[in-house]
Each structure stands twice: as C-alpha cells, then as structure tokens.
C-alpha cells in the first residue's frame, strides 16, 4: 500500500503559491539562463548537462551585498554600517495601528514605521506572478510587512498588495507577533501564501516591492531589513527535460539526515507537513547555524528535536502550514546565512550549485505516477538534493524516505520499558492489550541498538531517484521551486 502524505490535493498554481520566496547574494538583476528567452543552454564544465528548453520566463532581482538596499527609496529608515536598513532613531516616524489577528487576544497596537521601496523594475515579458523575499532581524514585539505592485502594458499601476507580515518568532513565543501570509483579492489579481497572481489579461511589465519595518510606539527596538528580493515569472508551457552529459557524477554532500516523522516522545513535529522544516533543519545544521541548546530548551525541546524547532519558527499562522518556502529561507537568513527560494531552469542549473558544495532544497508534488520510486504521495514535498550519481540520477535526503530511529530520550525510555516487560509510554497499548505497531517496535528495544546522536533524529534518509522522473515532477508539476542556502563567504550565482 502506498502511503498518502497529501492531506489535500494541490493544483500547480496552488503549489506555486505555497513555494514562494527568493534572494541571491551580491548580484544585480538576474535573468536565469534558459528562462528569459524561449530556449537556451548552459554549460556546467566537466559535468555539463544539456539545459532544458523552456517556454517560461523568470526574472530575479536581489538587493544585497554589491547590489545594496540604498538603490531603493527610504522613509524613516537609514543604513547602518553593515548596509542594513534600520528605523531612523533621529527621525519623526509615521504611526500605524494594527492588530495581530492570529493572537489569542488580538488588540490594537500603535507602531512607529519606516519603509523601503525598491526601484521600479522593467521586465522583458509580462509577468503573471510576483514573489518577494527578505532577510531581516526582527526583535520581539516588532513586525515586517512585505508588499508588491506592478504596472500593466497600458501604464496603469496597481495598488500595493500585502504578501506577508513576519516576526520570525516561534509560534506562541512570549511578547512576539505572528508570522503569516496575507490573502487579499483585488482588481489586479490576488495574493495568497506569499505570492501575487495577476488577474486574467492583466500581466505586469514593471514591478516593485515595499518593505515596512514596525516597532511598538515608544520603544527603542531596532528591527532591520538586511536584504530583499523580487521574482517575476511567466510559465506558458511545460519544460523539456535535460540530458545528463557529465562523467563521474557529483559526490553527495554529507548533509545531516533528518526525518519528517516523529523524532522523540515530546516533539510534536511529525507527519507530511513537516518535510519543509526537516529540510530546513538539515541545512541549518550543515552550515552550523542550527539552534543552540538554550534555544531548544526555551521551547521545551531536547538536542535531537531540530525539526520541531524549525517548524515552530516556520508556521504560517494564516494557513497553519509549514511549507511556504519563503518562511524557511527567511528563517535561514535570520541565522546569518544567505538564503533564498527561487525557480531554476532544470537540473543542469542545479548541478552548478552542487559543484560549489552547496546542497539545494527542492519542493515538488510527489505521486505514484510521477515519481513511482518514492513509494508515497505528498504535496509541496521538500527534499535536499545532495549529489548526482554516475548516470545522472538525483541523490537526495528525503524526509519521507524512512521511518526514524527513536531519539536518544525515547530510546532510553523504550529500553527501560522493555526491561520491565511493558509497552513504551510514548504510545498506549491498543484495546484488548495489543500494542500499536509503533509501541511494539519501541518496546522491543530495537531502536535502542542505534539511538540517534545529539545532532541527528533519524537513521538513513538518503535516496536516489531516476533523473527523468524527478526532473519532470519538479519542473512541470512543481514549477522548479528551489531553495539555495549557504554561508556568506561562498559566492553562488544562479544567474
């Protein structure tokens, strides 16, 4: 029987909305190869793959590093020594009253605000979708709002449309506000899950984004915008798949392997919706940017509950989901990494990033029809691409790839229960005295033979998927969504 991890079916458009985001370090306006022309090819050195011919267009602009935020327009903000936009302590700031609609007891809050507005970007095509991303430092009680707008072919400019309000705090953290995507219909189109979708026949030829930093009136907190990016896209047709022309593959990067299923007796993080937090946790720990013991214990977690920690910081309070790409990359960016979610033209382009030693997260709709080797079905499923084998097949850390070993804590409790001849306390015995399968496995002591280490909550989740199946599901069913996360000292340019 094929496990069904898809709690609900997703159209391609809805999937794209779930997987929003983006940013690239130190680059100007970028046109991805093969994407801002009807067809194109790129070389990947000794391990080149023939690039896909695409009837799709992607334009990515990033304000960070060499392409600084000072290209935008400031109101109530100033640049600090690091090039970050912060609220101006010497200015008289505008005041705005808002409430956190997802708080237990919503109340009106007066905020001092400052805004950054990007330059108006001229596109070489008419975009049907806009996705904005950011890196920010948001103290407790403060907020960041992200908005976009566009100009149609006749020159008319749409209103500003909100994509998200973001605090970066863990769900329920004392003194912090919720993070959530905004659903907002308008005559120009609609926003949902951090994506603007243009109305029919209302494509956008010039685009712009706005970031608003907010702090409670009378306080001296200093929220900052550290980077911003805007992605405009138009997809007309499906992609043609690439052909692997390399030799020797790309050796898999040794990224920690975490699962989306239960990791310990106290962690709530389990199930299909946790693939994105699992992927995020893998990347954070690979780049030594994961949570400290103090950060874990503040949420009542232990050292091997990395996925639960990531999930607490990625939840979209509006949808109660964890799979919005931009929330994952914004979490990574808040930990000092360069992080963005974008669209790639195919595996040939992804391989260029792998060659630099940078693992890439992709999100795709997995079904028994498009990736039969997976053995499960899941919507907006996140995997960490770690390498390419000799035949061009894709090596991944798949959070759904295996049931986990029990955590160190759970393993100890299971071993103790087995010694006493009783069922594990994690799962009660089923009616009639028969243990559930999970309890039976725990009480047998099998998991105690190979308990997870302090930095790993599962066993092996490494999988290899056939190239054609994987690339088709990723590009054609899932719009080529990818996260690129790396340390600031590595130059990664997907343009």
């Amino acid at each position: 029987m094929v496990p069904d991890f898809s709690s609900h079916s997703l159209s391609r458009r809805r999937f794209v909305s779930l997987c929003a985001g983006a940013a690239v370090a130190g680059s100007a306006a970028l046109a991805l190869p093969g994407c801002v022309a009807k067809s194109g090819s790129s070389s990947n050195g000794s391990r080149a793959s023939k690039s896909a011919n695409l009837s799709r267009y992607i334009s990515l602009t990033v304000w960070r590093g060499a392409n600084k935020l000072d290209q935008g327009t400031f109101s109530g903000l100033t640049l600090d020594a690091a090039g970050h936009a912060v609220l101006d302590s010497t200015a008289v700031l505008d005041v705005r009253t808002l409430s956190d609609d997802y708080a237990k007891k919503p109340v009106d809050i007066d905020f001092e605000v400052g805004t950054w507005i990007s330059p108006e970007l001229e596109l070489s095509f008419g975009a049907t979708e806009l996705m904005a991303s950011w890196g920010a430092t948001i103290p407790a009680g403060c907020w960041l709002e992200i908005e976009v707008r566009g100009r149609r072919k006749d020159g008319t400019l749409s209103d500003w449309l909100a994509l998200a309000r973001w605090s970066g705090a863990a769900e329920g953290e004392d003194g912090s506000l919720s993070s959530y995507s905004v659903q907002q219909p308008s005559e120009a189109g609609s926003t949902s899950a951090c994506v603007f979708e243009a109305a029919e026949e209302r494509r956008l030829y010039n685009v712009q984004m706005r970031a608003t930093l907010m702090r409670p009136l009378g306080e001296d907190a200093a929220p900052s915008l550290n980077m911003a990016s805007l992605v405009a896209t138009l997809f007309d047709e499906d992609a043609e798949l690439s052909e692997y022309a390399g030799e020797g593959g790309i050796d898999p990067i040794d990224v920690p392997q975490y699962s989306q299923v239960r990791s310990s007796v106290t962690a709530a993080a389990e199930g299909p919706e946790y693939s994105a937090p699992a992927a995020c946790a893998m990347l954070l720990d690979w780049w030594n940017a994961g949570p400290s013991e103090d950060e874990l214990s503040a949420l009542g977690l232990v050292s091997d509950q990395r996925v639960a920690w990531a999930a607490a910081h990625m939840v979209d309070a509006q949808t109660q989901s964890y799979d919005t790409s931009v929330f994952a990359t914004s979490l990574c960016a808040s930990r000092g990494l360069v992080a963005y979610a974008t669209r790639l033209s195919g595996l040939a382009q992804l391989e260029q990033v792998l060659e630099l030693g940078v693992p890439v997260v992709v999100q795709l709709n997995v079904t028994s029809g498009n990736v039969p080797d997976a053995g499960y079905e899941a919507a907006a499923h996140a995997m960490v691409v770690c390498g390419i084998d000799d035949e061009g097949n894709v090596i991944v850390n798949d959070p759904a790839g295996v049931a986990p070993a029990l955590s160190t804590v759970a393993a100890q409790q299971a071993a103790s229960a087995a010694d006493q001849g009783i069922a594990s306390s994690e799962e009660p015995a089923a009616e009639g005295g028969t243990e559930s399968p999970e309890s039976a496995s725990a009480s047998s002591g099998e998991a105690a033979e190979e308990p997870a280490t302090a930095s790993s909550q599962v066993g092996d989740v490494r999988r290899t998927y056939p190239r054609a199946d994987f690339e088709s599901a990723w590009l054609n069913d899932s719009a080529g969504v990818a996260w690129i996360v790396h340390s600031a000292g590595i130059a990664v340019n997907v343009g």
Side-chain angles (χ1 to χ4, degrees):
M1 180 178 180
V2 177
D4 183 4
F5 289 157
S6 55
S7 57
H8 57 282
S9 62
L10 290 181
S11 66
R12 173 171 166 162
R13 179 168 283 264
R14 171 60 178 157
F15 176 87
V16 171
S17 294
L18 285 173
C19 301
V24 173
S27 59
L30 300 177
L32 304 187
C35 296
V36 187
K38 276 289 183 180
S39 63
S41 62
S42 60
S43 173
N44 190 24
S46 61
R47 296 189 174 97
S49 297
K50 182 180 178 181
S51 187
N53 293 319
L54 307 179
S55 295
R56 53 183 67 190
Y57 305 81
I58 303 172
S59 178
L60 169 66
T61 304
V62 179
W63 296 272
R64 181 188 179 276
N67 189 27
K68 298 178 181 179
L69 291 170
D70 60 9
Q71 293 185 0
T73 301
F74 291 76
S75 176
L77 301 179
T78 186
L79 284 177
D80 65 13
H84 301 160
V86 298
L87 285 174
D88 189 343
S89 60
T90 65
V92 177
L93 302 177
D94 292 337
V95 176
R96 184 177 173 187
T97 302
L98 293 170
S99 66
D100 181 355
D101 294 337
Y102 300 97
K104 291 181 179 179
K105 295 181 179 180
V107 296
D108 287 342
I109 304 172
D110 291 332
F111 292 97
E112 293 180 304
V113 303
T115 61
W116 174 85
I117 301 177
S118 78
E120 188 171 330
L121 306 173
E122 183 176 356
L123 305 175
S124 62
F125 59 92
T128 55
E129 292 183 343
L130 298 180
M131 306 179 292
S133 180
W134 60 89
T137 302
I138 308 298
C142 298
W143 244 349
L144 171 68
E145 182 178 65
I146 299 295
E147 300 165 286
V148 296
R149 69 179 178 183
R151 193 179 298 276
R152 292 185 283 272
K153 199 167 188 177
D154 63 5
T156 58
L157 192 63
S158 73
D159 294 333
W160 287 109
L161 295 170
L163 295 183
R165 290 183 184 147
W166 190 77
S167 70
E171 185 178 24
E173 186 175 325
D174 289 345
S176 293
L177 301 169
S178 303
S179 294
Y180 59 90
S181 59
V182 177
Q183 289 188 336
Q184 182 179 355
S186 77
E187 54 84 24
S190 62
T191 63
S192 178
C194 298
V195 175
F196 167 77
E197 297 178 359
E200 196 72 25
E201 304 301 326
R202 290 181 177 269
R203 293 181 180 181
L204 304 177
Y205 291 82
N206 293 63
V207 296
Q208 203 169 18
M209 72 175 289
R210 178 167 70 182
T212 301
L213 291 167
M214 308 181 226
R215 70 177 172 210
L217 182 64
E219 297 189 6
D220 59 1
S224 67
L225 177 70
N226 308 334
M227 62 153 290
S229 67
L230 184 60
V231 182
T233 58
L234 167 65
F235 292 161
D236 281 342
E237 300 173 9
D238 284 350
E240 296 178 13
L241 305 184
S242 65
E243 297 175 3
Y244 187 63
E247 295 180 0
I250 299 174
D251 291 338
I253 302 166
D254 193 20
V255 179
Q257 300 179 40
Y258 301 159
S259 172
Q260 67 192 46
V261 295
R262 180 175 296 147
S263 60
S264 80
V265 293
T266 58
E270 61 172 321
E273 65 271 29
Y274 286 95
S275 68
C280 186
M282 292 187 222
L283 293 185
L284 285 173
D285 281 352
W286 170 247
W287 295 111
N288 296 315
S292 67
E293 293 296 324
D294 287 344
E295 288 175 306
L296 288 164
S297 63
L299 298 184
L301 303 173
V302 294
S303 61
D304 58 356
Q305 295 176 309
R306 329 291 284 180
V307 176
W309 184 88
H313 289 81
M314 288 172 58
V315 63
D316 181 339
Q318 192 272 129
T319 63
Q320 284 299 303
S321 65
Y322 303 86
D323 48 14
T324 302
S325 296
V326 69
F327 280 15
T329 55
S330 295
L331 171 58
C332 292
S334 74
R335 308 289 293 180
L337 298 172
V338 177
Y340 60 95
T342 189
R343 309 290 170 78
L344 298 183
S345 60
L347 286 173
Q349 191 179 31
L350 188 151
E351 287 159 4
Q352 297 176 23
V353 182
L354 291 179
E355 290 276 14
L356 300 173
V358 176
V360 178
V361 171
V362 300
Q363 282 184 277
L364 62 162
N365 289 336
V366 179
T367 70
S368 58
N370 63 13
V371 190
D373 286 10
Y376 61 84
E377 297 193 344
H381 184 66
M383 304 182 193
V384 184
V385 180
C386 302
I388 303 293
D389 73 9
D390 292 349
E391 297 178 352
N393 299 314
V394 185
I395 303 170
V396 302
N397 282 5
D398 182 352
V402 70
L406 291 177
S407 71
T408 305
V409 173
Q412 292 171 347
Q413 293 188 357
S416 175
D419 290 342
Q420 299 176 48
I422 61 175
S424 166
S425 61
E426 181 179 357
E427 296 287 345
E431 290 184 9
T434 303
E435 295 174 342
S436 69
E438 286 183 340
S439 295
S441 174
S443 62
S444 70
E446 292 177 3
E449 296 176 7
E450 295 184 9
T453 66
S455 62
S456 172
Q457 59 193 53
V458 297
D460 178 22
V461 298
R462 183 66 52 82
R463 293 292 178 268
T464 301
Y465 291 121
R467 184 183 188 90
D469 290 348
F470 186 94
E471 189 170 32
S472 178
W474 174 46
L475 292 182
N476 294 330
D477 296 338
S478 313
V481 175
W483 319 347
I484 298 177
V485 178
H486 59 87
S487 64
I490 299 177
V492 176
N493 188 340
V494 297

